[in-house]
Amino acid sequence: MTLVIGDITVSLDGFVTGPGADPEHGLGDDGDAIHAWALDSDDPVDRGVLERHAAASGAVVMGRRTFDTVDRGWIDGMGYGAAQDARPPFFVVTSSPPERHRLAATHDFTFVTGGPAAAVERAKAAAGDRDVFVMGGGALVGSCLRDGLLDELRLHVAAEVLGGGTPLLAGVGRHRLTQVAAEVSPVCTHLTYRVQR
């Protein structure tokens, strides 16, 4: 059965970017530091998480700001799962699709103007027997949790305190989760929660 999984890296103080994040400045002041587990770590726990997520990804959903950052920042050999370079179909939630984008020749992006639920449904249809990952940003993952679209929430809690930036779960309301897995490396704790309905 295809799962819809909110999958995002967050600092210890609950931010998914540093202050000043925008497409030109990426993840903001020191925001890249929270992704050391995915970009720089050679720890077997971190490598295993990336490999499993990349292999399981049948489709990926992202918000428009995340797409703009990805389109500017991904280099050759990068895709979902960083250097794992998974290239499932990507569905971008947006109110205004771009006229063109840099990654058009190498990655399959579909721009969905009907909101998160429409993007998730299209991603589920494309994923086959694999899973749908909602990779961010924080507002999209939060709205998918708020609206009951997620089966699981996977948080990669980086050993960093950013002191500000984009909060992950602001305004999503009350939800009950059950922790089903925890994996720990020196730089990150990988937590998996089942979303209770």
Short mmCIF file of all heavy atoms in Angstrom, two decimals, residues 70 72-79 85 87 102-103 107:
data_model
loop_
_atom_site.label_atom_id
_atom_site.label_comp_id
_atom_site.label_asym_id
_atom_site.label_seq_id
_atom_site.Cartn_x
_atom_site.Cartn_y
_atom_site.Cartn_z
N VAL A 70 15.39 24.38 -4.92
CA VAL A 70 15.93 23.19 -5.58
C VAL A 70 16.40 23.53 -6.98
O VAL A 70 17.49 23.12 -7.41
CB VAL A 70 14.84 22.08 -5.60
CG1 VAL A 70 15.11 21.04 -6.66
CG2 VAL A 70 14.70 21.45 -4.22
N ARG A 72 17.47 26.22 -8.18
CA ARG A 72 18.71 27.01 -8.13
C ARG A 72 19.88 26.19 -7.60
O ARG A 72 21.02 26.39 -8.00
CB ARG A 72 18.56 28.22 -7.21
CG ARG A 72 17.89 29.40 -7.82
CD ARG A 72 17.79 30.50 -6.78
NE ARG A 72 17.57 31.77 -7.40
CZ ARG A 72 18.52 32.65 -7.67
NH1 ARG A 72 19.76 32.40 -7.35
NH2 ARG A 72 18.22 33.79 -8.25
N GLY A 73 19.59 25.27 -6.65
CA GLY A 73 20.67 24.67 -5.88
C GLY A 73 21.11 23.28 -6.23
O GLY A 73 22.25 22.90 -5.95
N TRP A 74 20.21 22.45 -6.81
CA TRP A 74 20.64 21.09 -7.11
C TRP A 74 21.66 21.11 -8.24
O TRP A 74 21.46 21.75 -9.27
CB TRP A 74 19.46 20.23 -7.51
CG TRP A 74 18.69 19.67 -6.34
CD1 TRP A 74 18.94 19.88 -5.01
CD2 TRP A 74 17.55 18.83 -6.39
NE1 TRP A 74 18.02 19.23 -4.24
CE2 TRP A 74 17.14 18.56 -5.06
CE3 TRP A 74 16.81 18.28 -7.44
CZ2 TRP A 74 16.04 17.77 -4.75
CZ3 TRP A 74 15.71 17.49 -7.13
CH2 TRP A 74 15.34 17.23 -5.81
N ILE A 75 22.76 20.41 -8.01
CA ILE A 75 23.80 20.30 -9.03
C ILE A 75 23.68 18.93 -9.69
O ILE A 75 22.87 18.09 -9.27
CB ILE A 75 25.20 20.49 -8.39
CG1 ILE A 75 25.43 19.47 -7.28
CG2 ILE A 75 25.35 21.91 -7.86
CD1 ILE A 75 26.82 19.48 -6.69
N ASP A 76 24.50 18.69 -10.73
CA ASP A 76 24.47 17.39 -11.39
C ASP A 76 24.68 16.30 -10.35
O ASP A 76 25.52 16.41 -9.47
CB ASP A 76 25.57 17.30 -12.45
CG ASP A 76 25.25 18.14 -13.68
OD1 ASP A 76 24.07 18.52 -13.85
OD2 ASP A 76 26.17 18.41 -14.46
N GLY A 77 23.91 15.23 -10.47
CA GLY A 77 24.03 14.12 -9.53
C GLY A 77 23.22 14.31 -8.27
O GLY A 77 23.41 13.56 -7.31
N MET A 78 22.31 15.29 -8.24
CA MET A 78 21.46 15.48 -7.07
C MET A 78 20.00 15.32 -7.45
O MET A 78 19.57 15.75 -8.52
CB MET A 78 21.65 16.88 -6.46
CG MET A 78 22.92 17.02 -5.65
SD MET A 78 22.99 18.59 -4.77
CE MET A 78 21.97 18.20 -3.35
N GLY A 79 19.28 14.69 -6.56
CA GLY A 79 17.84 14.54 -6.70
C GLY A 79 17.29 14.29 -5.32
O GLY A 79 17.90 14.66 -4.32
N ASP A 85 20.33 10.77 -5.51
CA ASP A 85 19.86 11.22 -6.83
C ASP A 85 18.65 10.44 -7.34
O ASP A 85 18.56 10.10 -8.51
CB ASP A 85 21.00 11.16 -7.85
CG ASP A 85 20.70 11.98 -9.10
OD1 ASP A 85 19.77 12.81 -9.05
OD2 ASP A 85 21.37 11.79 -10.13
N ARG A 87 15.13 10.12 -8.84
CA ARG A 87 14.42 11.01 -9.75
C ARG A 87 13.02 10.49 -10.07
O ARG A 87 12.67 10.27 -11.23
CB ARG A 87 15.22 11.22 -11.03
CG ARG A 87 16.54 11.89 -10.71
CD ARG A 87 17.18 12.51 -11.89
NE ARG A 87 18.50 13.02 -11.52
CZ ARG A 87 19.29 13.65 -12.35
NH1 ARG A 87 18.91 13.87 -13.57
NH2 ARG A 87 20.46 14.08 -11.94
N ARG A 102 15.40 25.45 -14.75
CA ARG A 102 16.72 24.93 -15.09
C ARG A 102 16.76 23.42 -15.16
O ARG A 102 17.45 22.83 -15.98
CB ARG A 102 17.73 25.44 -14.04
CG ARG A 102 19.17 25.07 -14.31
CD ARG A 102 20.10 25.63 -13.24
NE ARG A 102 19.83 25.10 -11.93
CZ ARG A 102 20.34 23.97 -11.46
NH1 ARG A 102 21.14 23.22 -12.21
NH2 ARG A 102 20.06 23.55 -10.24
N LEU A 103 16.01 22.72 -14.31
CA LEU A 103 16.09 21.26 -14.21
C LEU A 103 15.14 20.53 -15.17
O LEU A 103 14.99 19.32 -15.09
CB LEU A 103 15.80 20.82 -12.77
CG LEU A 103 16.82 21.27 -11.73
CD1 LEU A 103 16.33 20.91 -10.33
CD2 LEU A 103 18.19 20.67 -12.00
N HIS A 107 14.89 16.37 -14.72
CA HIS A 107 13.96 15.96 -13.67
C HIS A 107 12.53 16.16 -14.16
O HIS A 107 12.25 17.10 -14.89
CB HIS A 107 14.19 16.78 -12.39
CG HIS A 107 15.52 16.56 -11.74
ND1 HIS A 107 16.70 17.02 -12.27
CD2 HIS A 107 15.85 15.93 -10.59
CE1 HIS A 107 17.70 16.68 -11.48
NE2 HIS A 107 17.22 16.03 -10.45
#
